Short mmCIF file of all heavy atoms in Angstrom, two decimals:
data_model
loop_
_atom_site.label_atom_id
_atom_site.label_comp_id
_atom_site.label_asym_id
_atom_site.label_seq_id
_atom_site.Cartn_x
_atom_site.Cartn_y
_atom_site.Cartn_z
N THR A 160 128.74 89.35 127.58
CA THR A 160 128.26 88.99 128.97
C THR A 160 129.45 88.44 129.59
O THR A 160 130.29 87.54 129.04
CB THR A 160 127.10 88.13 128.93
OG1 THR A 160 126.49 87.97 130.30
CG2 THR A 160 127.36 86.80 128.36
N PRO A 161 129.67 88.73 130.93
CA PRO A 161 128.90 89.75 131.74
C PRO A 161 129.51 91.17 131.22
O PRO A 161 130.48 91.24 130.68
CB PRO A 161 129.37 89.47 133.09
CG PRO A 161 130.78 88.82 133.05
CD PRO A 161 130.64 87.93 131.80
N LEU A 162 128.70 92.13 131.62
CA LEU A 162 129.13 93.49 131.18
C LEU A 162 129.92 94.21 132.35
O LEU A 162 129.52 94.11 133.58
CB LEU A 162 127.86 94.35 131.00
CG LEU A 162 127.04 94.00 129.84
CD1 LEU A 162 125.66 94.62 129.81
CD2 LEU A 162 127.77 94.17 128.54
N SER A 163 130.94 94.83 132.09
CA SER A 163 131.73 95.56 132.99
C SER A 163 131.27 96.97 133.26
O SER A 163 130.34 97.47 132.53
CB SER A 163 133.23 95.87 132.57
OG SER A 163 133.33 96.80 131.48
N PRO A 164 131.62 97.58 134.40
CA PRO A 164 131.06 99.09 134.56
C PRO A 164 131.36 99.98 133.46
O PRO A 164 130.57 100.82 133.12
CB PRO A 164 131.83 99.42 135.84
CG PRO A 164 132.07 98.20 136.59
CD PRO A 164 132.35 97.21 135.52
N ILE A 165 132.47 99.77 132.72
CA ILE A 165 132.81 100.61 131.63
C ILE A 165 131.80 100.27 130.51
O ILE A 165 131.33 101.31 129.85
CB ILE A 165 134.36 100.24 131.10
CG1 ILE A 165 135.26 100.68 132.08
CG2 ILE A 165 134.48 100.92 129.61
CD1 ILE A 165 136.69 100.25 131.89
N HIS A 166 131.58 99.10 130.21
CA HIS A 166 130.46 98.65 129.18
C HIS A 166 129.20 99.42 129.54
O HIS A 166 128.42 100.03 128.78
CB HIS A 166 130.26 97.23 129.05
CG HIS A 166 131.43 96.47 128.69
ND1 HIS A 166 131.57 95.15 129.11
CD2 HIS A 166 132.63 96.78 128.00
CE1 HIS A 166 132.78 94.73 128.66
NE2 HIS A 166 133.33 95.74 127.97
N LEU A 167 128.75 99.29 130.68
CA LEU A 167 127.52 99.79 131.17
C LEU A 167 127.36 101.39 131.11
O LEU A 167 126.45 101.93 130.75
CB LEU A 167 126.99 99.44 132.68
CG LEU A 167 126.84 97.84 132.84
CD1 LEU A 167 126.86 97.48 134.26
CD2 LEU A 167 125.60 97.46 132.13
N GLU A 168 128.40 101.88 131.40
CA GLU A 168 128.58 103.46 131.38
C GLU A 168 128.48 103.91 129.88
O GLU A 168 127.81 104.95 129.57
CB GLU A 168 129.95 103.99 131.97
CG GLU A 168 129.89 103.91 133.49
CD GLU A 168 131.28 104.17 134.05
OE1 GLU A 168 132.24 104.46 133.36
OE2 GLU A 168 131.36 104.27 135.37
N ASN A 169 129.19 103.09 128.99
CA ASN A 169 128.99 103.55 127.54
C ASN A 169 127.71 103.39 127.00
O ASN A 169 127.09 104.19 126.19
CB ASN A 169 130.07 102.71 126.74
CG ASN A 169 131.58 103.16 126.90
OD1 ASN A 169 131.75 104.34 127.29
ND2 ASN A 169 132.46 102.25 126.79
N LEU A 170 126.96 102.30 127.37
CA LEU A 170 125.61 101.98 127.07
C LEU A 170 124.74 103.17 127.56
O LEU A 170 123.94 103.60 126.81
CB LEU A 170 125.17 100.61 127.52
CG LEU A 170 125.86 99.51 126.83
CD1 LEU A 170 125.56 98.19 127.55
CD2 LEU A 170 125.26 99.25 125.39
N LEU A 171 124.84 103.50 128.72
CA LEU A 171 124.01 104.47 129.26
C LEU A 171 124.22 105.87 128.67
O LEU A 171 123.34 106.53 128.29
CB LEU A 171 124.23 104.63 130.82
CG LEU A 171 123.35 105.70 131.55
CD1 LEU A 171 121.98 105.40 131.42
CD2 LEU A 171 123.82 105.66 133.09
N LYS A 172 125.45 106.18 128.32
CA LYS A 172 125.86 107.51 127.73
C LYS A 172 125.18 107.50 126.43
O LYS A 172 124.60 108.60 125.99
CB LYS A 172 127.39 107.50 127.65
CG LYS A 172 127.83 108.83 126.93
CD LYS A 172 129.36 108.81 126.80
CE LYS A 172 129.97 110.04 126.25
NZ LYS A 172 131.39 110.15 126.14
N LEU A 173 125.21 106.52 125.61
CA LEU A 173 124.58 106.52 124.32
C LEU A 173 123.15 106.51 124.21
O LEU A 173 122.37 107.18 123.55
CB LEU A 173 125.16 105.35 123.44
CG LEU A 173 126.63 105.46 123.09
CD1 LEU A 173 127.10 104.11 122.37
CD2 LEU A 173 126.84 106.65 122.08
N SER A 174 122.53 105.73 125.25
CA SER A 174 121.02 105.70 125.43
C SER A 174 120.51 106.98 125.78
O SER A 174 119.51 107.50 125.30
CB SER A 174 120.68 104.59 126.49
OG SER A 174 119.37 104.66 126.71
N ARG A 175 121.19 107.87 126.68
CA ARG A 175 120.80 109.16 127.02
C ARG A 175 120.71 110.12 125.89
O ARG A 175 120.01 111.07 125.88
CB ARG A 175 121.69 109.62 128.18
CG ARG A 175 121.33 109.07 129.48
CD ARG A 175 122.32 109.51 130.48
NE ARG A 175 121.83 109.11 131.96
CZ ARG A 175 122.58 109.17 132.95
NH1 ARG A 175 123.92 109.43 132.85
NH2 ARG A 175 121.96 108.86 134.05
N ILE A 176 121.46 109.88 124.77
CA ILE A 176 121.44 110.82 123.75
C ILE A 176 120.61 110.33 122.59
O ILE A 176 120.63 110.79 121.37
CB ILE A 176 122.85 111.18 123.12
CG1 ILE A 176 123.44 109.87 122.57
CG2 ILE A 176 123.65 111.80 124.24
CD1 ILE A 176 124.92 110.23 121.94
N GLY A 177 119.74 109.14 122.81
CA GLY A 177 118.83 108.79 121.85
C GLY A 177 119.11 107.58 121.02
O GLY A 177 118.46 107.09 120.19
N VAL A 178 120.38 107.02 121.21
CA VAL A 178 120.80 105.73 120.63
C VAL A 178 119.82 104.67 121.08
O VAL A 178 119.69 104.41 122.33
CB VAL A 178 122.19 105.44 120.77
CG1 VAL A 178 122.44 104.11 120.07
CG2 VAL A 178 123.08 106.58 120.25
N ALA A 179 119.36 103.86 120.17
CA ALA A 179 118.52 102.57 120.55
C ALA A 179 119.50 101.46 120.92
O ALA A 179 120.32 101.07 120.04
CB ALA A 179 117.55 102.14 119.46
N ILE A 180 119.50 101.00 122.09
CA ILE A 180 120.25 99.78 122.51
C ILE A 180 119.47 98.52 122.59
O ILE A 180 118.54 98.43 123.37
CB ILE A 180 120.86 100.19 123.94
CG1 ILE A 180 121.64 101.44 124.01
CG2 ILE A 180 121.78 98.93 124.29
CD1 ILE A 180 122.78 101.65 123.05
N VAL A 181 119.87 97.66 121.68
CA VAL A 181 118.87 96.36 121.52
C VAL A 181 119.90 95.14 121.74
O VAL A 181 120.38 94.69 120.91
CB VAL A 181 118.27 96.34 120.19
CG1 VAL A 181 117.24 95.09 120.13
CG2 VAL A 181 117.55 97.56 119.86
N PRO A 182 120.06 94.92 123.01
CA PRO A 182 121.04 93.75 123.21
C PRO A 182 120.58 92.50 122.71
O PRO A 182 119.34 92.16 122.65
CB PRO A 182 121.07 93.65 124.83
CG PRO A 182 120.60 95.10 125.32
CD PRO A 182 119.64 95.50 124.27
N ALA A 183 121.52 91.67 122.19
CA ALA A 183 121.10 90.26 121.67
C ALA A 183 120.58 89.41 122.70
O ALA A 183 121.41 88.53 123.15
CB ALA A 183 122.42 89.89 120.88
N MET A 184 119.38 89.59 123.12
CA MET A 184 118.68 88.87 124.17
C MET A 184 117.45 88.25 123.71
O MET A 184 116.42 88.83 123.99
CB MET A 184 118.62 89.57 125.46
CG MET A 184 119.76 90.14 126.03
SD MET A 184 119.24 91.16 127.45
CE MET A 184 120.94 91.73 128.08
N PRO A 185 117.53 87.22 122.79
CA PRO A 185 116.23 86.66 122.20
C PRO A 185 115.31 86.15 123.25
O PRO A 185 115.75 85.59 124.24
CB PRO A 185 116.75 85.67 121.23
CG PRO A 185 117.99 85.11 121.71
CD PRO A 185 118.63 86.47 122.33
N GLY A 186 113.94 86.39 123.05
CA GLY A 186 112.93 85.80 123.87
C GLY A 186 112.66 84.38 123.53
O GLY A 186 113.01 83.89 122.40
N PHE A 187 111.91 83.83 124.35
CA PHE A 187 111.55 82.40 124.12
C PHE A 187 109.94 82.08 124.24
O PHE A 187 109.63 80.95 124.14
CB PHE A 187 112.27 81.48 125.16
CG PHE A 187 113.78 81.34 125.02
CD1 PHE A 187 114.52 82.39 125.69
CD2 PHE A 187 114.32 80.39 124.30
CE1 PHE A 187 115.87 82.19 125.34
CE2 PHE A 187 115.65 80.26 124.10
CZ PHE A 187 116.48 81.35 124.70
N TYR A 188 109.17 83.26 124.56
CA TYR A 188 107.73 83.03 124.64
C TYR A 188 107.12 82.58 123.38
O TYR A 188 105.94 82.04 123.44
CB TYR A 188 107.08 84.30 125.12
CG TYR A 188 107.37 85.42 124.45
CD1 TYR A 188 106.61 85.71 123.09
CD2 TYR A 188 108.26 86.53 124.82
CE1 TYR A 188 106.81 86.87 122.46
CE2 TYR A 188 108.46 87.57 124.21
CZ TYR A 188 107.78 87.88 122.93
OH TYR A 188 108.00 89.01 122.24
N HIS A 189 107.77 82.61 122.20
CA HIS A 189 107.19 82.06 121.03
C HIS A 189 107.50 80.63 120.76
O HIS A 189 107.23 80.04 119.67
CB HIS A 189 107.57 82.92 119.76
CG HIS A 189 109.04 82.86 119.46
ND1 HIS A 189 110.02 83.12 120.42
CD2 HIS A 189 109.78 82.39 118.44
CE1 HIS A 189 111.28 83.04 119.97
NE2 HIS A 189 111.09 82.60 118.63
N GLN A 190 108.12 80.05 121.81
CA GLN A 190 108.52 78.56 121.68
C GLN A 190 109.29 78.26 120.58
O GLN A 190 108.76 77.38 119.73
CB GLN A 190 107.21 77.68 122.02
CG GLN A 190 106.54 78.03 123.31
CD GLN A 190 105.27 77.31 123.59
OE1 GLN A 190 104.78 76.75 122.48
NE2 GLN A 190 104.91 77.09 124.80
#
Side-chain angles (χ1 to χ4, degrees):
T160 191
L162 295 169
S163 75
I165 294 173
H166 300 154
L167 293 168
E168 288 174 359
N169 285 334
L170 288 167
L171 181 58
K172 180 179 181 179
L173 291 170
S174 179
R175 281 176 168 164
I176 62 173
V178 176
I180 307 297
V181 189
M184 299 177 180
F187 292 86
Y188 55 77
H189 63 304
Q190 298 181 340

